Amino acid sequence: MEILLEYMGKGFVTMLLISMPCVLVAAAIGLVVGILQAVTQVQEQTIAAAPKILAVFLVLMILGVGYVRLLINLTQEGYALAFNQIPASGNYVLPSNYHRYTSPFAGEMKEGRFNKQEIGDIMRHPGKIPFIDHNEKIKHYPSDRMPNPSPNLIERNRIMSR
């Protein structure tokens, strides 16, 4: 668990390393353009946006190769963690002996539910539904639906046009 939290922390640090230069450049350009707009009293929104877009684009072009290397290293470390370290450590979400302390199918897996004759019948006739006793067989009611569903409108039109 600690390994995964450490890897998640490295992911956040990588995210900050990639986004921080772009945000800082955009903030600096916005501050300079804002000061210039206040001095000249020209309040146009496009004047502030265009230099920010160009500056962030230039930062991405200059630092893009480093960003790709950071992401490749993070991805390779994640693959090594997922396929090498976690399976080798043996620390899983559930312990290997969890089934000793649980009984998920307690009602269904009773001893003696099927006798050997019924198991032989099931093996010889795999399409038949196995019943425990005659009372359960009586409880099984077939559905009131037709065995074949009715065709939808497009299928019905094709059938009628033939």
Side-chain angles (χ1 to χ4, degrees):
M1 188 68 165
E2 294 148 3
I3 297 172
L4 296 176
L5 290 174
E6 182 181 343
Y7 182 70
M8 188 172 65
K10 287 181 183 179
F12 282 126
V13 169
T14 303
M15 177 185 61
L16 287 174
L17 286 173
I18 290 174
S19 64
M20 194 56 66
C22 298
V23 171
L24 289 177
V25 166
I29 296 292
L31 181 66
V32 170
V33 170
I35 290 172
L36 288 175
Q37 282 182 337
V39 169
T40 59
Q41 295 184 355
V42 176
Q43 299 298 324
E44 183 64 34
Q45 295 295 326
T46 56
I47 294 174
K52 286 182 191 177
I53 292 171
L54 289 174
V56 170
F57 179 72
L58 285 174
V59 167
L60 289 175
M61 292 299 294
I62 294 168
L63 299 176
V65 175
Y67 292 162
V68 170
R69 286 187 188 147
L70 281 171
L71 290 173
I72 287 173
N73 290 340
L74 184 70
T75 305
Q76 287 175 346
E77 188 175 344
Y79 287 150
L81 184 71
F83 296 117
N84 296 333
Q85 289 180 356
I86 291 177
S89 70
N91 294 329
Y92 300 106
V93 176
L94 294 174
S96 61
N97 60 355
Y98 79 97
H99 61 281
R100 292 182 188 167
Y101 308 109
T102 61
S103 54
F105 302 108
E108 291 85 7
M109 303 299 278
K110 293 179 183 172
E111 292 292 336
R113 179 175 173 165
F114 295 112
N115 60 28
K116 292 186 180 189
Q117 182 182 6
E118 290 176 348
I119 293 173
D121 289 339
I122 292 169
M123 297 300 285
R124 276 184 252 120
H125 309 289
K128 289 189 175 181
I129 300 172
F131 296 103
I132 295 175
D133 58 3
H134 185 69
N135 292 335
E136 286 194 23
K137 196 171 191 177
I138 292 172
K139 290 180 190 175
H140 181 266
Y141 299 108
S143 173
D144 58 350
R145 289 183 51 196
M146 294 175 30
N148 293 327
S150 63
N152 63 17
L153 183 64
I154 297 171
E155 291 173 341
R156 187 175 290 140
N157 288 340
R158 281 189 194 154
I159 292 170
M160 298 307 256
S161 67
R162 291 182 186 170

